[in-house]
Amino acid sequence: MVKLWILAGIFCVIQISVLRGVAIAQITPDIVLVVVVYTALFHEKAGMWLGFATGIFIDLYSSSLGYNALMGTIIGYGVGKLSGRVYKEIPLLWLILLFVSSLVHDVVIFASAQELSYRFFGRYIFFGALYTTAIGLIIFYILRKFDVRRIR
Amino acid sequence: MWKVTDRWFFGLIILCIILIGIGSTEFGEKTQIRLGSIFSPLNSWVSFIFNEFKIRHENKVLRAKVSELALNNQILRSSQYENEKLFDLLEFKARTEYELIASRIVSRDPNPISGTCLIDKGLADEVRKDFPVITCDGVYGKVTEVTRENAIVQTISDFNFRVACMNLRNGIQGIMRWEGGKGCILGQVRVNSDIQIGDSIVTSGLGSIFPKGVAVGKVREINVDKTKLFYEVTLEPTCKLGEIEYVFIVKKKPERLEKSTVYKTPGWEIYQKIEEEKIVQSPLKKSEKVKMSSIPKEEREEFPIEFEVKEPTIRLQPQ
């Protein structure tokens, strides 16, 4: 669990510093959100706290304070609630959770900063969610591998 | 268990809403900046590490680009140099009275004694054996062998090359030759002749290969040869042999060839026409081709005759 917190901290720093380097058409994946969703799915309640903490950190460098923390908390809580009711080891579930989380997170965050348009939604939010989902699946597989090894 | 978490969740939501509220105030913005600056060194450090890789990659790409650009630059410089050379040649061709064929040196004989080179003009371009080859600066050599597409030029740096020369200042005659280490030598100049260092030496026109007045070199050193009868004048050739890429072949004009001789036999007149078509048009229809070697020497008699530049043909014509 501590390792996940450390990883989330590293991901936060990477997210705000160097992730622009891997931007495709100005869209960057939200790797912090991936760790939050992962933690919430496999460690339930910890996801909410991790979502809040990482959200606060991201908020320090974003234009609007509080929104990332709010969304991190909601997503962490929501996914954590869901995790007790579903079979977690299905990649399709990971994919759906990552995509929906990213979509909801970005809609709220972008809506807080500017007026949303269909074009903006399609150009940044939708493709951003796809990008996060793609990267997130890789991170999920890696984290899951380490987690399973640790449990054994 | 979740009930406690639910309470915490609502508590956190309220906290977030409060933060959103504070964030829109001046105090909130300042606090945000201050707190953000705490972690800034960490971010900078991470950025630096990641950028290091990026910069290394960029450096590699830029190095490759620099090499490519340097190569392009060299090519451009070479083109510029070639352009300047060609411009000089064009200028020379425009102001000279000779009929010239511009040609490029294709290869040079690696043998240091032979001093020959191959040029890219041949019979197809009306180049013939013994045509003089010059550059903008002066005498370069003469054509010794011709094929359809190429010709071999014996340059002035060939040990067997000779050209009759004279001092431009006073007309003192001599024969230029190449003597390896000594360089370009003007021989057969009588001792006590008026020749000075710095005198310009040009072709004298004797020998009927080189036209008169083409620059050969400048007098660099004057010595007396072993026989003590002649000066051995060392010349500084006007054309820089190693640097030359383009040359001109001087096409001999018909009027120059009028002085040439052919032979006639009793009852037969041999003349040399070079252009095949003109022979067909001539009124001498009963003429037939013969080889010069087939006529006995004692029956030959020299006489001047006109002929034109093209493939040589010997004809025998009844008088």
Side-chain angles (χ1 to χ4, degrees):
Chain A
M1 192 64 217
V2 179
K3 282 177 187 170
L4 271 177
W5 277 88
I6 294 166
L7 185 76
I10 294 166
F11 274 22
C12 280
V13 176
I14 292 170
Q15 182 79 43
I16 58 166
S17 55
V18 292
L19 216 65
R20 288 212 169 273
V22 291
I24 297 172
Q26 293 181 315
I27 301 163
T28 52
D30 194 341
I31 56 171
V32 177
L33 185 75
V34 173
V35 182
V36 170
V37 173
Y38 179 86
T39 313
L41 188 64
F42 293 101
H43 301 276
E44 300 180 1
K45 283 162 275 185
M48 180 184 75
W49 290 104
L50 194 74
F52 176 76
T54 54
I56 287 281
F57 186 84
I58 301 289
D59 275 337
L60 293 176
Y61 299 95
S62 65
S63 56
S64 47
L65 187 69
Y67 282 97
N68 279 294
L70 179 71
M71 288 319 295
T73 311
I74 293 170
I75 289 166
Y77 178 78
V79 175
K81 273 270 186 190
L82 189 79
S83 70
R85 297 171 191 174
V86 289
Y87 179 64
K88 300 168 201 173
E89 303 292 341
I90 309 167
L92 184 67
L93 177 76
W94 303 350
L95 193 140
I96 293 165
L97 280 176
L98 281 168
F99 185 75
V100 173
S101 303
S102 178
L103 211 64
V104 172
H105 178 271
D106 286 358
V107 165
V108 175
I109 298 297
F110 284 119
S112 71
Q114 64 183 85
E115 202 178 320
L116 275 179
S117 64
Y118 284 114
R119 198 180 164 195
F120 190 85
F121 181 84
R123 170 84 170 73
Y124 292 99
I125 297 173
F126 184 76
F127 283 106
L130 282 179
Y131 197 6
T132 302
T133 308
I135 299 286
L137 277 176
I138 299 165
I139 296 170
F140 258 58
Y141 270 110
I142 296 164
L143 290 177
R144 199 71 205 119
K145 212 172 179 182
F146 282 107
D147 252 6
V148 170
R149 196 183 290 172
R150 188 177 55 82
I151 292 162
R152 277 175 189 170
Chain B
M1 192 70 184
W2 267 100
K3 277 180 185 172
V4 182
T5 313
D6 289 346
R7 276 182 213 146
W8 273 113
F9 170 68
F10 287 114
L12 288 175
I13 294 294
I14 291 161
L15 184 63
C16 288
I17 292 165
I18 293 166
L19 280 173
I20 291 166
I22 294 169
S24 56
T25 62
E26 197 180 332
F27 169 74
E29 281 172 7
K30 279 182 181 173
T31 313
Q32 191 183 0
I33 293 163
R34 272 178 205 155
L35 287 171
S37 63
I38 296 170
F39 299 102
S40 289
L42 184 68
N43 296 339
S44 310
W45 188 69
V46 173
S47 296
F48 175 76
I49 293 168
F50 275 82
N51 283 340
E52 181 76 14
F53 293 110
K54 202 178 166 186
I55 287 165
R56 275 190 190 182
H57 173 72
E58 220 168 71
N59 194 25
K60 213 181 248 181
V61 173
L62 286 173
R63 273 172 191 271
K65 194 93 183 162
V66 165
S67 304
E68 193 186 323
L69 286 172
L71 188 71
N72 282 348
N73 198 20
Q74 275 175 3
I75 293 166
L76 283 173
R77 273 168 190 264
S78 157
S79 299
Q80 191 188 3
Y81 173 76
E82 198 173 348
N83 195 22
E84 280 168 10
K85 284 267 177 195
L86 289 171
F87 189 78
D88 287 347
L89 292 177
L90 276 173
E91 206 179 28
F92 175 73
K93 199 173 178 180
R95 66 180 149 83
T96 186
E97 59 179 6
Y98 309 124
E99 196 178 336
L100 304 174
I101 304 164
S103 174
R104 192 169 63 84
I105 294 173
V106 178
S107 67
R108 288 173 211 273
D109 193 335
N111 184 353
I113 299 167
S114 85
T116 58
C117 69
L118 189 75
I119 56 170
D120 67 346
K121 293 286 188 293
L123 285 169
D125 306 286
E126 300 183 7
V127 175
R128 299 291 179 268
K129 193 181 172 186
D130 285 341
F131 274 17
V133 180
I134 61 171
T135 69
C136 309
D137 301 319
V139 172
Y140 182 69
K142 67 172 183 182
V143 176
T144 50
E145 298 287 337
V146 197
T147 63
R148 186 167 167 73
E149 302 294 338
N150 297 95
I152 292 172
V153 176
Q154 184 186 40
T155 68
I156 58 169
S157 64
D158 190 284
F159 277 73
N160 296 316
F161 184 84
R162 301 285 185 275
V163 59
C165 297
M166 66 178 190
N167 190 338
L168 189 65
R169 187 166 55 82
N170 51 22
I172 288 172
Q173 307 268 329
I175 293 170
M176 191 229 100
R177 65 179 188 277
W178 183 264
E179 282 204 1
K182 286 183 183 174
C184 218
I185 300 291
L186 183 70
Q188 309 294 311
V189 181
R190 282 182 193 163
V191 171
N192 300 328
S193 300
D194 178 16
I195 192 155
Q196 292 167 11
I197 290 168
D199 278 354
S200 291
I201 305 299
V202 296
T203 54
S204 62
L206 297 175
S208 74
I209 290 179
F210 282 92
K212 193 177 176 180
V214 182
V216 175
K218 289 205 166 188
V219 176
R220 192 174 65 192
E221 203 180 320
I222 304 164
N223 297 309
V224 180
D225 74 357
K226 288 173 190 172
T227 62
K228 308 217 173 180
L229 294 171
F230 300 102
Y231 277 140
E232 200 177 68
V233 181
T234 310
L235 301 180
E236 182 70 51
T238 47
C239 71
K240 292 157 192 166
L241 292 164
E243 296 174 18
I244 291 161
E245 286 174 57
Y246 293 92
V247 291
F248 284 118
I249 302 148
V250 182
K251 203 170 161 183
K252 288 182 180 175
K253 291 176 183 173
E255 55 267 27
R256 291 192 60 76
L257 300 175
E258 277 175 17
K259 290 172 189 171
S260 303
T261 56
V262 287
Y263 304 92
K264 76 171 185 181
T265 58
W268 293 87
E269 196 175 80
I270 302 158
Y271 67 97
Q272 193 171 9
K273 280 242 178 192
I274 292 174
E275 204 156 11
E276 199 78 34
E277 288 170 29
K278 289 200 175 174
I279 292 162
V280 176
Q281 286 166 8
S282 74
L284 311 167
K285 287 178 183 172
K286 288 179 181 176
S287 62
E288 60 176 296
K289 289 181 184 178
V290 290
K291 286 184 178 175
M292 184 69 90
S293 55
S294 65
I295 303 159
K297 269 187 180 176
E298 59 272 16
E299 289 184 352
R300 295 176 188 173
E301 189 183 319
E302 286 193 355
F303 79 106
I305 194 163
E306 281 185 26
F307 59 93
E308 293 162 61
V309 181
K310 267 272 167 135
E311 203 64 34
T313 312
I314 309 298
R315 286 191 161 221
L316 198 62
Q317 167 68 34
Q319 279 181 322

